[in-house]
Amino acid sequence: MKRILVGVDGSEGSRYALAWAIDHAAASGAVVRPAIVWQRTFDYGRDQYWPVDKATAEDARQRLTAAIAEVAGPDPAVTIDPLVLEGDPGSTLCAKSADADLLVVGSRGLGGFAGLVLGSVSTKCAHHSRCPVVIVPHRTPPTDGA
């Protein structure tokens, strides 16, 4: 395995996915390619951006850099090659997966339907990725003190 593409949107689920990918890359020698995808749509003549609070490419880059720093720390044990992409997040990750050996996404991102087991991006990736997909589940802290 040489290239692991990871969908990152700043959510807790995407940080779990990034951590999983870094651990896997450390064991396999792969390069980790964390990717954030921002999307511009047009709504009644006004620019609207999604998913990062009316983001721009620079806002997305800053969010990705912060997520990488939080998860990987200042001196990661693997090579990290970040990507900032524009488009529909699910479709863009699936298209970019053609250049990857593995696509890793969190089970839930920033979407508004918290009751769903899988979010729209992870569902789309599971169905349309051009390489194998790992969907990292959302972890909840144990309530029994374990």
Side-chain angles (χ1 to χ4, degrees), residues 91-111:
S91 298
T92 302
L93 287 173
C94 287
K96 197 67 179 167
S97 71
D99 299 329
D101 298 300
L102 185 66
L103 171 59
V104 181
V105 293
S107 59
R108 302 266 322 123
L110 294 173

Side-chain angles (χ1 to χ4, degrees), residues 26-126:
S28 67
V31 171
V32 177
R33 302 198 78 200
I36 191 166
V37 183
W38 66 282
Q39 182 178 34
R40 180 188 321 222
T41 60
F42 296 95
D43 180 26
Y44 305 110
R46 299 183 314 259
D47 281 352
Q48 301 290 318
Y49 298 88
W50 186 89
V52 205
D53 305 328
K54 296 186 179 180
T56 64
E58 184 55 34
D59 294 330
R61 183 179 321 283
Q62 289 173 7
R63 186 170 290 226
L64 180 60
T65 300
I68 293 168
E70 178 184 336
V71 173
D75 190 24
V78 299
T79 301
I80 297 179
D81 181 19
L83 299 167
V84 176
L85 306 168
E86 182 179 0
D88 168 71
S91 298
T92 302
L93 287 173
C94 287
K96 197 67 179 167
S97 71
D99 299 329
D101 298 300
L102 185 66
L103 171 59
V104 181
V105 293
S107 59
R108 302 266 322 123
L110 294 173
F113 298 104
L116 296 175
V117 174
L118 291 180
S120 60
V121 173
S122 55
T123 299
K124 185 175 249 181
C125 290

